[in-house]
Amino acid sequence: MSRRTGSGRLLALACASAAAAAVVSVLIRAPGCGFVATGQATFPAARLQSHGPAPGSRAEGLARRAFGGNRVAYIAVVEAQVKEGQEDAFLEASLENARNSKREDSNQRFDVLQSQTDSSKFALVEIYRAEKGPVDHKASEHYAAWRDAVADMMEVPRSATQWDTIFPSRPS
């Protein structure tokens, strides 16, 4: 599901109706500002489709037509909640990882986000041009250094979800 907000567009949120509730992180793309994290929202859902549009759905059909049947980007959103007092160290390590990641051949974008309402919550938005991009990233020395540096900073294990671009047709 995608809907307009006052300052941007709610990105890649899809859910199926059911009695259970699911908590998802909400990202808004603000014009000229990249991604701005706005925290979490609860939606009734039996499952969340975080790997792109549901197979056979209208959104999947629209995405295939928009991209000529080809994926245009490989996107990962990594969420992390660090221990209190570890925010600056996590941010420093993540910025170093992001700077080095931008030098990777397939990397198109690497955003480091911090929640406005909880300074211990972070999101990393990684966009690659090729399917091999995320694999190459995880094999890099700078990723290994980041992974090892932040391991003991985690309040809870970090999570990563994979996303498909619906709009714009070429992620910037």
Side-chain angles (χ1 to χ4, degrees):
M1 174 173 100
S2 177
R3 69 175 178 87
R4 282 207 174 272
T5 64
S7 63
R9 178 172 294 276
L10 181 62
L11 294 181
L13 175 64
C15 62
S17 62
V23 177
V24 297
S25 291
V26 178
L27 296 176
I28 294 181
R29 182 181 168 92
C33 298
F35 290 96
V36 179
T38 60
Q40 296 185 329
T42 302
F43 296 90
R47 65 182 173 85
L48 291 176
Q49 182 66 34
S50 62
H51 298 286
S57 70
R58 183 172 183 269
E60 181 190 43
L62 291 171
R64 288 191 189 282
R65 282 194 299 272
F67 307 142
N70 299 317
R71 289 183 73 179
V72 295
Y74 296 82
I75 303 168
V77 177
V78 178
E79 294 184 72
Q81 181 165 358
V82 300
K83 296 174 185 171
E84 188 175 332
Q86 294 293 309
E87 297 89 349
D88 289 343
F90 179 83
L91 188 57
E92 183 179 324
S94 296
L95 290 172
E96 182 65 20
N97 181 41
R99 287 184 198 104
N100 285 303
S101 297
K102 289 296 296 166
R103 295 184 186 125
E104 295 172 16
D105 289 338
S106 183
N107 185 274
Q108 184 161 336
R109 185 175 179 124
F110 199 113
D111 294 349
V112 178
L113 311 173
Q114 185 173 22
S115 171
Q116 293 178 359
T117 58
D118 183 346
S119 63
S120 69
K121 290 184 180 180
F122 294 86
L124 308 177
V125 180
E126 306 172 27
I127 303 177
Y128 299 91
R129 291 180 199 84
E131 185 173 10
K132 196 171 181 231
V135 174
D136 290 345
H137 172 67
K138 285 190 171 185
S140 69
E141 289 181 26
H142 60 269
Y143 171 80
W146 173 82
R147 181 196 61 219
D148 294 345
V150 303
D152 292 334
M153 296 178 196
M154 298 293 111
E155 182 69 34
V156 295
R158 67 184 186 277
S159 66
T161 52
Q162 305 304 308
W163 300 80
D164 283 327
T165 301
I166 302 301
F167 181 87
S169 61
R170 294 279 181 227
S172 59

